[in-house]
């Protein structure tokens, strides 16, 4: 995610972690779906080329809020590789078989790009090599043509493992794309297999996820502050010097090293959620090396952390309204028959759980209000989780917290044995470097709660207190809010979903408007991210861009 706190903006939050199809599942661009587009895709590049740098701006992005005073553009780096970095760009990749038919490799990057040679990190990447045409069902967009190079994938987070994402989803990508690209997943620094940062043991993470996020008195505030401080101190002790070098700018520079080692003149990339911020940052730093970039579920880099958290809360409120409207149509909806009733009964249920955490069948664990809210938030990421949420809420009303606890656990990635992946540790580490902490202390949060609750009556209070995490971070932030213009870059496709909970649609409009060559593709639908969700319109438009360099026309829109 871009906003600080515990809320992920990650495609894999509903894909790998929840065990559903998530953002990674696709099919050919001709897969079933009832969607259509109000405009066709126009050519912005010739077959086999990266396309020319367009001057169409947002391509129908619509009005976006101006950047706050003092927000400056991200400046590009020099085109020539600095002499001190030459050894990193001269490495040779040694690909070895790994993980069920994939290939893996490792390479070095400097811990600090300002001091190359003064300590290195080892990053791990995996790839699925291009599948020759004719070896499976193809799409018409992929018919014919030679290899286009590598296509890097990132599922978001920050903290999502691109290696795991690749291994889980590569074979579901459009066959035309797989025929012409090697699909590559690079675990960013601090993530997955690339020097992963860890912070707490499994039992301490259980306690951290259960701590009250709507404290009503000083005792509750003290408990939350103590939990955030314990988390931060655990990261400091375990991560060491690397903790100060896990920011997105450094991760984007790592991608450029890998691009060169793969032999690609330009970077081709599909980034989802936070992966859009990573990809846009790459474009801002290296606009002349932009190939075909797809930024799906976009993050607005110009927002400060308070605004980002508050607008993200509003995104979840929008998704909740869509769920409530749908729930009212089902006989098994446990919260009422009107949207208002459903909202009121959710508030009442959470208050009940706050007062008396619910028992579960998981080794004596009890469902707290914080975990119940997290379970609801998890289900907002994709509408295929809505039936599970209806069941979980039914069980909770009957006094059983097991199902909501499982949804919360899937959000955090908790395993059956009580262990946690590095997802949340890396998430906080990256976010707390990328932006200054939104609040100086609990008093600031208390003052901000009314604005958060206005943006999101159901989730605003929790998300305001979640944002306290970076206040106690042991490393000073290295980034600030900024715009990204990427002047001179080839056309960049930004995909925005109108009722996306974690990355509100306005963020996609804003990013497309900032990018000089941004082209906005709007998906009128629900869930987090849109490409490779079995929507024929979105998949077709993105695949045409990836395979033929045809970016969507201004105003392009897909409806469910």
């Amino acid at each position: 995610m871009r906003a600080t706190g515990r809320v992920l903006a990650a495609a894999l939050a509903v894909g790998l972690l929840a065990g559903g199809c998530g953002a990674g599942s696709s099919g050919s661009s001709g897969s079933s779906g009832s969607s259509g587009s109000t405009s066709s895709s126009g050519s912005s590049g010739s077959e086999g080329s990266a396309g020319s740098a367009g001057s169409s701006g947002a391509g129908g992005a619509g009005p976006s809020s101006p950047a706050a005073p003092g927000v400056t553009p991200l400046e590009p780096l020099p085109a020539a590789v600095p002499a001190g970095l030459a050894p990193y760009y001269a490495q040779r990749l040694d690909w070895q078989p790994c993980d069920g038919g994939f290939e893996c490799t490792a390479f070095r990057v400097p811990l600090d790009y300002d001091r190359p040679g003064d300590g290195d990190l080892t990053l791990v990447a995996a790839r699925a090599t291009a599948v020759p045409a004719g070896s499976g069902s193809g799409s018409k967009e992929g018919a014919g043509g030679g290899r286009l190079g590598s296509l890097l994938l990132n599922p978001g987070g920050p903290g999502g493992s691109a290696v795991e994402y690749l291994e889980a989803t590569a074979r579901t990508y459009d066959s035309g794309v797989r025929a012409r690209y090697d699909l590559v997943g690079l675990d960013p620094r601090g993530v997955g297999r690339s020097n992963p940062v860890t912070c707490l043991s499994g039992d301490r993470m259980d306690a951290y996820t259960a701590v009250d996020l709507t404290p009503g008195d000083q005792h509750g505030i003290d408990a939350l502050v103590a939990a955030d401080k314990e988390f931060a101190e655990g990261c400091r002790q375990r991560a060491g010097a690397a903790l100060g070098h896990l920011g997105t700018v450094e991760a984007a520079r790592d991608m450029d090293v890998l691009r060169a080692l793969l032999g690609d003149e330009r970077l081709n990339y599909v980034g989802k959620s936070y992966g859009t911020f990573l990809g846009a940052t790459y474009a801002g730093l290296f606009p002349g090396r932009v190939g075909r970039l797809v930024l799906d579920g976009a993050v607005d880099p110009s927002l400060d952390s308070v605004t980002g958290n508050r607008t993200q809360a509003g995104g979840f409120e929008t998704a909740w309204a869509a769920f409530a409207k749908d729930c009212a149509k089902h006989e098994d909806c446990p919260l009422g028959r009107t949207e208002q009733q459903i909202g009121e009964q959710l508030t009442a249920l959470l208050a009940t759980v706050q007062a008396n955490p619910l028992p579960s069948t998981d080794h004596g664990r009890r469902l707290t209000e914080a975990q119940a809210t997290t379970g609801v938030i998890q289900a907002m990421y994709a509408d295929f989780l809505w039936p599970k949420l209806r069941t979980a809420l039914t069980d909770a009303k009957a006094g059983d917290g097991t199902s909501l606890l499982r949804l919360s656990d899937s959000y955090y990635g908790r395993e059956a044995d009580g262990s946690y992946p590095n997802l949340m540790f890396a998430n906080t580490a990256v976010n707390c470097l990328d932006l200054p902490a939104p609040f100086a202390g609990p008093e600031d949060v208390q003052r901000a709660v009314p604005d958060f609750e206005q943006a999101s009556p159901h989730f605003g209070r929790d998300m305001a207190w979640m944002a306290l995490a970076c206040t106690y971070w042991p490393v000073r932030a290295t980034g600030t809010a900024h715009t990204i213009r990427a002047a001179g870059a080839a056309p960049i496709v930004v995909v925005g979903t109108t009722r996306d909970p974690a990355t509100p649609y306005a963020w996609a409009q804003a990013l497309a408007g900032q990018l000089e060559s941004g082209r906005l593709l709007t998906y009128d639908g629900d869930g987090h991210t849109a490409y490779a969700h079995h929507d024929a319109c979105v998949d077709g438009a993105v695949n045409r861009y990836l395979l033929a360099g045809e970016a969507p026309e201004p105003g392009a829109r897909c409806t469910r």
Side-chain angles (χ1 to χ4, degrees), residues 151-252:
L151 180 66
L152 268 66
L153 310 177
N154 184 280
S161 169
V163 170
E164 291 184 9
Y165 178 76
L166 172 78
E167 293 174 351
T169 65
R171 294 180 179 89
T172 70
Y173 264 72
D174 175 77
S175 58
V177 173
R178 288 182 286 134
R180 302 187 65 190
Y181 286 101
D182 293 337
L183 302 184
V184 178
L186 167 64
D187 276 354
R189 52 175 62 202
V191 174
R193 305 181 193 184
S194 296
N195 296 97
V197 59
T198 60
C199 302
L200 296 177
S201 62
D203 62 329
R204 296 313 303 157
M205 270 300 289
D206 280 347
Y208 184 71
T209 65
V211 71
D212 186 7
L213 289 173
T214 56
D217 55 27
Q218 191 60 46
H219 176 75
I221 292 173
D222 291 345
L224 178 58
V225 169
D228 284 336
K229 286 183 176 180
E230 180 188 5
F231 188 99
E233 177 61 16
C235 295
R236 186 193 66 79
Q237 291 180 3
R238 291 169 173 82
L243 199 62
H245 296 282
L246 302 179
T248 298
V249 166
E250 290 163 307

Side-chain angles (χ1 to χ4, degrees), residues 131-148:
V131 179
S135 59
S137 60
S139 67
K140 63 182 180 180
E141 286 85 3
R147 183 178 177 277
L148 292 171

Side-chain angles (χ1 to χ4, degrees), residues 448-477:
V449 162
D451 287 341
F452 274 70
E453 289 184 322
Q454 183 175 2
S456 176
H458 294 100
F459 309 112
R461 185 178 183 86
D462 296 76
M463 292 183 69
W465 283 105
M466 285 180 189
L468 191 63
C470 288
T471 301
Y472 309 104
W473 202 242
V475 180
R476 184 184 297 273

Side-chain angles (χ1 to χ4, degrees), residues 236-320:
R236 186 193 66 79
Q237 291 180 3
R238 291 169 173 82
L243 199 62
H245 296 282
L246 302 179
T248 298
V249 166
E250 290 163 307
R253 299 188 72 171
D254 295 340
M255 288 203 302
D256 194 59
V257 174
L258 179 58
R259 171 206 58 78
L261 301 185
L262 290 168
D264 293 332
E265 292 186 4
R266 299 191 181 196
L267 180 77
N268 303 306
Y269 176 85
V270 174
K272 290 176 173 284
S273 198
Y274 161 79
T276 67
F277 179 51
L278 179 58
T281 299
Y282 180 92
L285 295 175
F286 306 105
R289 297 173 193 166
V290 168
R292 297 172 186 174
L293 263 63
V294 178
L295 308 179
D296 180 15
V299 170
D300 179 1
S302 72
L303 299 180
D304 64 78
S305 51
V306 174
T307 306
N309 277 277
R310 188 176 61 246
T311 56
Q312 191 177 52
F316 279 97
E317 192 69 28
T318 297
W320 168 258

